[in-house]
């Protein structure tokens, strides 16, 4: 949907909240869930979709008949598609995902072929005059050698990634020339990845923009407010810094993380969020300001140390609903959603806003609402009020 107070900004929610790894399953979720959300949120206006397609689903939807039928369905039901979450390549629900969500990464041909296919699909669905975006893995999981090693090792690891990104950028240029549809790729910084914060995104993309093969190419950043919160970043400052460096922001994802003072009671409560499906990176800020990283909640420090309680504040990569503020001793990072940030996001720094809460199925039962459609509608209500729309 277009924002009433910023008509060039499109707001949606990511369909990764709904189970489904095949196109028939994705289409069923759109018919049964997304249309119900539209009825509650904007019944009389076009409603934009934030698609999530696995590799298998993308192959099925790319078939000409499936694509034609879906395009007709969108038009008949007041829907349009403008962004795709191209981060999870494989299964995303109902089985342990953890670090496999980053695979294949940008060193692989499979990631390139998948992303190019998503671009072709989106180009066939985009309304005229509406820009498209595809969010993707921030290069790879972990801190690879090329960040710290000598030039030989750096080239060995980085060259395949750069090569595949360059090929994808060329494909997006070709799509624009053939179809008239502009689609931008957005690397999504995430804790403990090769690019995990705005500073690393800025450094990587500013450096790439100076190379001939990337100059003027459609690659930027998808900023997830939950991820920035886990990094103890100020999202307003991060966005302003990227804009100052001429790094494009094709999409911003709206979601909150968990935060807590690590008392014994709070840590016991936090155990309820330790699900076996998703990776929940933890950042611990010490009283000194030092930030210590833990790969997942099971790795969290559970005992007092010689220096006292383990840290001053913990932040956990667990996407909680924006209307969620606290759960016992646990709190969300919703306070980062300031009026100043709302003003910035409606000023033209990004064309796409996407509500990115996919964890309703793994929330503790006491924190979960039984009706996911009503939960999503509550998120829209909260976001629209915050944005002043």
């Amino acid at each position: 949907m277009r924002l009433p107070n910023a008509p060039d900004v499109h707001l949606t929610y990511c369909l990764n909240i709904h189970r489904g790894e095949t196109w028939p399953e994705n289409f069923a979720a759109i018919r049964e869930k997304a249309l119900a959300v539209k009825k509650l949120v904007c019944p009389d206006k076009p409603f934009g979709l934030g698609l999530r397609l696995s590799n298998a689903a993308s192959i099925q939807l790319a078939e000409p008949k499936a694509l034609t039928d879906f395009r007709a369905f969108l038009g008949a039901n007041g829907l349009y598609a403008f962004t795709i979450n191209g981060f999870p390549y494989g299964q995303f629900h109902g089985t342990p995902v953890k670090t496999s969500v980053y695979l294949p990464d940008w060193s692989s041909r499979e990631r390139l072929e998948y992303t190019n296919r998503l671009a072709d699909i989106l180009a066939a669905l985009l309304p005229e005059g509406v820009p498209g975006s595809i969010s993707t893995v921030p290069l790879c999981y972990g801190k690879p050698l090329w960040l710290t090693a000598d030039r030989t090792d750096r080239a060995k690891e980085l060259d395949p990634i750069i090569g595949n990104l360059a090929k994808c950028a060329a494909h997006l240029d070709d799509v624009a020339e053939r179809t008239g549809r502009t689609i931008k790729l957005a690397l999504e910084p995430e804790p403990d990845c090769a690019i995990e914060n705005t500073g690393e995104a800025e450094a990587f993309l500013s450096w790439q923009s100076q190379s001939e093969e990337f100059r003027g190419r459609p690659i930027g950043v998808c900023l997830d407010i939950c991820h920035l919160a886990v990094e103890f970043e100020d999202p307003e400052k991060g966005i302003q810094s990227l804009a100052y460096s001429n790094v494009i922001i094709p999409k911003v994802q709206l979601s909150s993380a968990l935060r807590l003072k690590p008392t014994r009671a709070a840590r016991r409560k936090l155990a309820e969020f330790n699900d076996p499906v998703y990776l929940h990176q933890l950042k611990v800020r010490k009283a000194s300001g030092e930030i210590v990283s833990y790969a997942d909640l099971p790795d969290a420090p559970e005992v007092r140390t010689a220096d006292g309680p383990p840290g001053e504040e913990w932040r956990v990569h667990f996407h909680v609903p924006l209307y969620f503020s606290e759960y016992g001793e646990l709190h969300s990072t919703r306070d980062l959603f300031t009026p100043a940030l709302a003003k910035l996001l409606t000023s033209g720094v990004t064309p796409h806003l996407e509500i990115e809460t996919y964890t309703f199925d793994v929330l503790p039962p006491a924190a979960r609402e039984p009706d996911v459609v009503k939960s999503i509608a509550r998120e829209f209500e909260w976001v629209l009020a915050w944005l002043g729309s």
Side-chain angles (χ1 to χ4, degrees):
M1 59 184 290
R2 292 179 184 267
L3 294 179
N5 62 334
D8 290 334
V9 179
H10 299 261
L11 172 67
T12 186
Y13 79 100
C14 186
L15 289 166
N16 65 355
I17 185 176
H18 304 305
R19 287 175 177 254
E21 306 304 328
T22 67
W23 172 240
E25 291 171 331
N26 293 158
F27 189 34
I30 293 169
R31 288 197 318 266
E32 298 164 14
K33 305 295 185 183
L35 280 177
V37 172
K38 177 189 184 327
K39 186 176 181 180
L40 293 174
V41 174
C42 63
D44 303 320
K45 296 180 180 179
F47 184 71
L49 297 180
L51 299 177
R52 183 264 152 169
L53 301 170
S54 70
N55 181 62
S58 72
I59 292 171
Q60 293 168 325
L61 180 55
E63 291 294 324
K65 186 179 186 308
L67 204 50
T68 298
D69 290 347
F70 184 48
R71 191 165 53 236
F73 173 83
L74 293 175
N77 288 277
L79 300 172
Y80 65 101
F82 65 88
T83 187
I84 298 179
N85 182 342
F87 199 126
Y89 176 97
Q91 190 163 349
F92 193 62
H93 289 283
T95 189
V97 176
K98 299 296 182 179
T99 57
S100 65
V101 74
Y102 306 103
L103 297 175
D105 62 31
W106 273 102
S107 67
S108 71
R109 184 167 183 81
E110 289 85 357
R111 174 63 65 174
L112 170 64
E113 292 174 345
Y114 164 61
T115 308
N116 286 354
R117 190 182 309 116
L118 294 181
D120 293 338
I121 290 170
L122 188 55
L125 299 176
L126 271 173
E128 186 174 354
V130 176
S133 64
I134 300 171
S135 49
T136 189
V137 175
L139 307 184
C140 60
Y141 178 68
K143 293 301 186 185
L145 283 175
W146 53 264
L147 288 171
T148 56
D150 63 33
R151 182 172 298 179
T152 302
D153 287 334
R154 188 160 60 240
K156 183 179 178 180
E157 285 203 348
L158 189 54
D159 282 356
I161 291 174
I162 297 300
N164 285 328
L165 283 174
K167 290 174 184 175
C168 183
H171 184 78
L172 294 178
D173 282 346
D174 180 64
V175 166
E177 186 174 341
R178 285 187 290 106
T179 69
R181 301 300 191 261
T182 300
I183 299 170
K184 295 179 180 178
L185 185 67
L187 303 173
E188 183 181 332
E190 185 162 310
D192 298 343
C193 290
I195 297 176
E196 65 175 302
N197 53 50
T198 56
E200 291 176 353
E202 183 179 341
F204 178 77
L205 288 168
S206 296
W207 169 56
Q208 289 307 312
S209 68
Q210 297 172 21
S211 64
E212 188 62 36
E213 60 188 346
F214 279 94
R215 188 172 293 118
R217 289 292 174 81
I219 296 182
V221 181
C222 169
L223 288 182
D224 188 310
I225 305 301
C226 169
H227 298 170
L228 298 187
V230 175
E231 295 286 326
F232 289 90
E233 278 205 69
D234 180 324
E236 186 182 352
K237 290 180 179 178
I239 291 170
Q240 290 171 335
S241 180
L242 290 172
Y244 181 80
S245 297
N246 295 315
V247 173
I248 60 172
I249 307 173
K251 179 163 67 175
V252 171
Q253 293 176 324
L254 309 176
S255 188
S256 293
L258 283 174
R259 65 176 176 85
L260 61 143
K261 300 293 184 183
T263 63
R264 288 187 181 276
R267 282 181 282 160
R268 282 195 298 269
K269 203 70 175 173
L270 182 61
E272 297 181 33
F273 289 81
N274 186 17
D275 76 83
V277 178
Y278 301 113
L279 190 67
H280 298 299
Q281 298 97 320
L282 166 68
K283 301 286 184 178
V284 174
R285 184 169 65 186
K286 301 288 189 177
S288 64
E290 177 191 7
I291 296 175
V292 181
S293 300
Y294 297 88
D296 200 0
L297 273 184
D299 302 321
E302 288 299 331
V303 297
R304 293 175 65 88
T305 68
D307 297 323
E312 184 180 61
E313 182 176 349
W314 291 12
R315 293 194 179 179
V316 184
H317 179 207
F318 194 114
H319 293 249
V320 293
L322 289 161
Y323 58 77
F324 169 106
S325 60
E326 61 182 40
Y327 181 69
E329 294 79 5
L330 307 182
H331 301 272
S332 82
T333 57
R334 193 176 73 178
D335 58 319
L336 293 178
F337 287 78
T338 62
L341 180 60
K343 185 176 180 180
L344 183 61
L345 291 179
T346 55
S347 69
V349 294
T350 183
H352 296 163
L353 300 177
E354 183 176 53
I355 296 169
E356 172 71 358
T357 308
Y358 56 81
T359 52
F360 285 96
D361 282 355
V362 295
L363 284 169
R368 188 187 313 164
E369 291 197 9
D371 189 325
V372 69
V373 168
K374 290 182 179 178
S375 293
I376 296 167
R378 280 188 68 186
E379 293 229 272
F380 271 98
E381 181 181 9
W382 191 91
V383 169
L384 289 169
W386 167 63
L387 292 173
S389 296

